[in-house]
Amino acid sequence: MKHSIKLVTKSLILCLIGTAAAYSAPISEMRQIIGSPLQLASSQGVKGPNVNEVFFNGGSFVQEGNNRWSELGQNGARRFDFVEQARDEWSVYLRDNSRGVNIQLDLFRKKVVYSDDSGKKFDLYMIEDAFTGQH
């Protein structure tokens, strides 16, 4: 029962986030509609060592194998593929060799951080939620 409630809640939140994106409504407006702030699941023990799904407004990063991750668009279509390089207490580090791109899924700061071989580094997305495989 606990798992199905999490799945329904996650689906509802993603639906609301998708609706906000479709109508260009800021996520803050969606939080007001929901009635309480969205809370990152990491407050429930999701950290670098056990995370396998990270959601941002417009898509997600999903672990698809031992060291394989994909960035998916809002519609679930695969955008990019990554190989996991490392994990620490709060982050997962991904690499796309074909593009020379690194991604850090920083659960402490709730940011997806982009860097590349040219030296560029910046916060790419705000993490809206994150889950382990046990939801």
Side-chain angles (χ1 to χ4, degrees), residues 1-22:
M1 178 71 165
K2 179 174 76 170
H3 298 299
S4 52
I5 290 171
K6 282 185 178 179
L7 286 174
V8 168
T9 303
K10 177 177 150 185
S11 297
L12 176 61
I13 290 170
L14 290 176
C15 180
L16 289 172
I17 290 170
T19 302

Side-chain angles (χ1 to χ4, degrees), residues 109 115 132:
R109 291 179 51 239
S115 64
T132 69

Side-chain angles (χ1 to χ4, degrees), residues 5 21-22 28 36 38 83 87 119 134:
I5 290 171
S28 59
S36 64
L38 297 175
V83 174
R87 290 181 186 237
Q134 301 163 10

Side-chain angles (χ1 to χ4, degrees), residues 24-59:
S24 299
I27 194 67
S28 59
E29 288 180 23
M30 296 313 298
R31 287 185 175 120
Q32 291 172 355
I33 292 169
I34 293 169
S36 64
L38 297 175
Q39 293 183 3
L40 191 63
S42 63
S43 63
Q44 300 173 10
V46 180
K47 290 186 173 182
N50 63 3
V51 68
N52 69 5
E53 291 180 286
V54 173
F55 293 87
F56 57 89
N57 189 5

Side-chain angles (χ1 to χ4, degrees), residues 11-128:
S11 297
L12 176 61
I13 290 170
L14 290 176
C15 180
L16 289 172
I17 290 170
T19 302
Y23 291 98
S24 299
I27 194 67
S28 59
E29 288 180 23
M30 296 313 298
R31 287 185 175 120
Q32 291 172 355
I33 292 169
I34 293 169
S36 64
L38 297 175
Q39 293 183 3
L40 191 63
S42 63
S43 63
Q44 300 173 10
V46 180
K47 290 186 173 182
N50 63 3
V51 68
N52 69 5
E53 291 180 286
V54 173
F55 293 87
F56 57 89
N57 189 5
S60 62
F61 287 89
V62 178
Q63 185 176 15
E64 297 193 2
N66 288 340
N67 290 327
R68 292 183 0 214
W69 287 73
S70 293
E71 180 180 346
L72 307 178
Q74 188 171 348
N75 62 359
R78 179 175 283 124
R79 289 182 184 164
F80 304 107
D81 294 311
F82 297 89
V83 174
E84 182 179 315
Q85 301 295 298
R87 290 181 186 237
D88 62 26
E89 182 180 6
W90 288 105
S91 295
V92 178
Y93 302 89
L94 308 175
R95 172 79 178 165
D96 178 349
N97 278 329
S98 69
R99 297 182 300 137
V101 169
N102 301 298
I103 294 290
Q104 176 187 1
L105 305 174
D106 183 342
L107 297 169
F108 185 80
R109 291 179 51 239
K110 300 177 185 156
K111 303 281 186 182
V112 174
V113 181
Y114 172 99
S115 64
D116 63 27
D117 293 345
S118 74
K120 292 181 193 172
K121 183 174 183 176
F122 55 89
D123 293 340
L124 184 61
Y125 306 120
M126 174 97 169
I127 294 175
E128 297 291 334

